[in-house]
């Protein structure tokens, strides 16, 4: 069964902290994605990766970085968390090109105080 | 980012009745894929249905069907015989290029018993 897991369901951090959100998929997918979800805005792509050590900016990369050292793991990093980064973060993966859908993790609700 | 418009923030439907969710998008491509995802209160994004743009036949998945109008760039979702478990937020998500989905703002569906 397809599975994408995220390290935390809920996370509370202070302004200025460095925050790591981890995502692991067990499907040997090439592509992995990080989105943030805010009410009325849908899901917006932060970064994605199509291979190990490869990454591309999405629509809203400012304030974020990513790391993909292994195929199954894709990390989102907030170098210095700010209150406007309070949001729901969703990780997804997909098996390369060809119209395949993305499979999503359960999401991490991050609150920055 | 591609523009995806879901013009109905909320829809309410009586159990066993039918509801249709609208979606329009913008693209100059001729070959692409479109998806509808469901996000229940558990937050887990679940694929509802997929449509290939090159196929003229509308996709159907049990009680879920789409009305795909390529020239109009319209991709609506019809839920027939609505059930309480259909209550969720629904996202339209075209996949225009190889990797990325673009999401609409979502439509919250409430099912009345």
């Amino acid at each position: 069964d397809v599975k994408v897991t995220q390290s935390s369901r809920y996370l509370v951090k202070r302004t200025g902290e460095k925050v790591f959100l981890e995502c692991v998929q067990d499907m040997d997918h090439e592509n992995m994605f990080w989105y943030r979800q805010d009410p009325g805005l849908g899901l917006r792509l932060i970064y994605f990766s199509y291979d190990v050590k490869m990454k591309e900016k999405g629509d809203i990369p400012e304030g974020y970085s990513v790391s993909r050292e292994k195929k199954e793991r894709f990390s989102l990093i907030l170098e210095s968390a700010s209150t406007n980064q309070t949001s729901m973060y969703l990780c997804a993966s997909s098996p390369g090109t060809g119209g395949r859908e993305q499979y999503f993790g359960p999401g991490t609700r991050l609150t920055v105080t | 980012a591609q523009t995806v418009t879901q013009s109905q923030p909320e829809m309410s439907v009586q159990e066993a009745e039918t509801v249709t969710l609208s979606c329009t998008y913008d693209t100059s491509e001729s070959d692409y894929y479109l998806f509808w995802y469901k996000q229940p209160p558990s937050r887990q994004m679940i694929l509802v249905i997929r449509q290939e743009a090159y196929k003229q036949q509308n996709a159907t998945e049990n009680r879920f069907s789409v009305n795909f109008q390529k020239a109009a760039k319209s991709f609506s979702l019809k839920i027939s015989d609505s059930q309480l478990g259909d209550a969720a937020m629904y996202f339209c998500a075209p996949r225009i290029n190889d990797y990325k989905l673009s999401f609409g703002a979502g439509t919250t569906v409430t099912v009345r018993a």
Side-chain angles (χ1 to χ4, degrees):
Chain A
D1 196 17
V2 167
K3 194 140 189 188
V4 179
T5 57
Q6 294 183 228
S7 49
S8 305
R9 289 278 282 177
Y10 299 92
L11 206 53
V12 179
K13 295 293 182 180
R14 291 191 178 274
T15 301
E17 279 193 84
K18 190 168 186 176
V19 181
F20 293 87
L21 302 182
E22 304 285 337
C23 176
V24 177
Q25 50 96 1
D26 65 358
M27 299 161 283
D28 201 37
H29 285 170
E30 288 79 12
N31 303 324
M32 296 188 75
F33 308 82
W34 275 107
Y35 296 90
R36 66 176 281 174
Q37 181 179 6
D38 300 288
L41 298 178
L43 278 70
R44 293 178 292 166
L45 182 64
I46 303 171
Y47 268 98
F48 69 100
S49 168
Y50 52 89
D51 201 352
V52 175
K53 296 190 185 295
M54 306 303 289
K55 61 185 179 184
E56 284 198 25
K57 293 180 181 179
D59 301 316
I60 51 164
E62 297 78 18
Y64 303 93
S65 62
V66 291
S67 171
R68 193 169 181 198
E69 297 296 319
K70 293 184 178 182
K71 190 175 185 180
E72 68 270 18
R73 188 180 297 270
F74 191 36
S75 302
L76 180 69
I77 303 156
L78 288 65
E79 294 288 342
S80 177
S82 64
T83 55
N84 63 12
Q85 292 178 310
T86 291
S87 187
M88 172 75 75
Y89 291 88
L90 292 169
C91 174
S93 71
S94 72
T97 61
R100 302 289 188 92
E101 70 267 24
Q102 292 182 13
Y103 297 85
F104 285 82
T108 295
R109 188 174 296 280
L110 172 67
T111 302
V112 182
T113 62
Chain B
Q2 301 289 332
T3 301
V4 182
T5 303
Q6 292 181 246
S7 58
Q8 307 146 314
E10 297 179 357
M11 294 287 282
S12 180
V13 60
Q14 189 72 35
E15 200 174 5
E17 297 294 311
T18 295
V19 64
T20 299
L21 311 183
S22 66
C23 173
T24 59
Y25 56 94
D26 183 31
T27 183
S28 58
E29 300 292 329
S30 60
D31 190 18
Y32 50 92
Y33 299 84
L34 305 113
F35 304 92
W36 276 97
Y37 280 88
K38 167 185 176 180
Q39 187 181 42
S42 68
R43 301 190 329 224
Q44 182 68 56
M45 292 280 277
I46 303 164
L47 178 70
V48 175
I49 199 164
R50 174 199 300 112
Q51 173 79 42
E52 291 93 338
Y54 66 87
K55 287 188 177 179
Q56 293 186 334
Q57 186 173 4
N58 289 321
T60 298
E61 197 71 47
N62 299 316
R63 297 181 295 105
F64 297 88
S65 61
V66 299
N67 182 4
F68 175 49
Q69 303 289 329
K70 191 172 183 179
K73 298 175 187 174
S74 170
F75 182 57
S76 61
L77 175 70
K78 184 169 79 172
I79 308 172
S80 303
D81 186 25
S82 297
Q83 300 176 1
L84 294 177
D86 295 334
M89 181 165 279
Y90 288 80
F91 292 96
C92 172
R95 179 172 138 164
I96 305 298
N97 62 30
D98 279 346
Y99 305 119
K100 296 188 287 186
L101 297 177
S102 296
F103 285 83
T107 297
T108 299
V109 172
T110 304
V111 182
R112 306 186 305 274

